[in-house]
Amino acid sequence: LKRLYLQQNEISALEPDTFRDLSQLELLRLYGNKLSHIVVGTFAGLSNLKDIMMSNNNIQTVDIGTFADLVKLRHLYFDGYFGDNFTEIRKELSGLPYFKFYP
């Protein structure tokens, strides 16, 4: 599986290791859900992920290290609030060619 479309499904939480067995996944669409907190380990196992769209959620907090293992990530579309971790999360994402953030 290379693409997974989970947009507009009223998903309110993603547990650590949710996607662990999807190592070939390259594109993940999570926009238009009800996510509020993105925890470390949510994207564990997604070593080939290149593109995530998480806009139009109700994200209030993103844990430091959430995106650290996404070595091939190139595009992140996000609106929400990183919580008090904003500066640290921005550092994690500083190497992305395309990071679209809508506060």
Side-chain angles (χ1 to χ4, degrees):
L1 182 67
K2 293 197 180 261
R3 297 172 183 240
L4 183 58
Y5 298 92
L6 296 174
Q7 71 271 10
Q8 301 175 332
N9 280 292
E10 299 190 20
I11 298 168
S12 60
L14 294 170
E15 298 297 322
D17 298 323
T18 296
F19 304 106
R20 176 152 311 273
D21 296 327
L22 299 175
S23 63
Q24 298 305 308
L25 197 67
E26 295 178 359
L27 181 140
L28 179 59
R29 295 290 185 249
L30 290 168
Y31 64 86
N33 284 293
K34 296 181 178 181
L35 297 170
S36 62
H37 184 190
I38 309 297
V39 299
V40 171
T42 297
F43 303 115
L46 297 178
S47 56
N48 287 300
L49 192 65
K50 297 176 184 174
D51 190 301
I52 304 174
M53 184 175 281
M54 296 188 339
S55 55
N56 297 318
N57 278 283
N58 187 30
I59 297 172
Q60 299 297 311
T61 309
V62 177
D63 291 349
I64 295 171
T66 295
F67 303 104
D69 295 332
L70 301 177
V71 296
K72 293 189 177 180
L73 188 64
R74 298 294 173 258
H75 301 95
L76 174 62
Y77 305 87
F78 181 91
D79 61 359
Y81 178 64
F82 287 112
D84 295 331
N85 304 327
F86 183 75
T87 302
E88 290 83 2
I89 299 291
R90 290 285 299 211
K91 287 178 188 174
E92 277 183 38
L93 301 171
S94 64
L96 288 180
Y98 191 79
F99 170 54
K100 192 67 172 173
F101 172 69
Y102 305 95

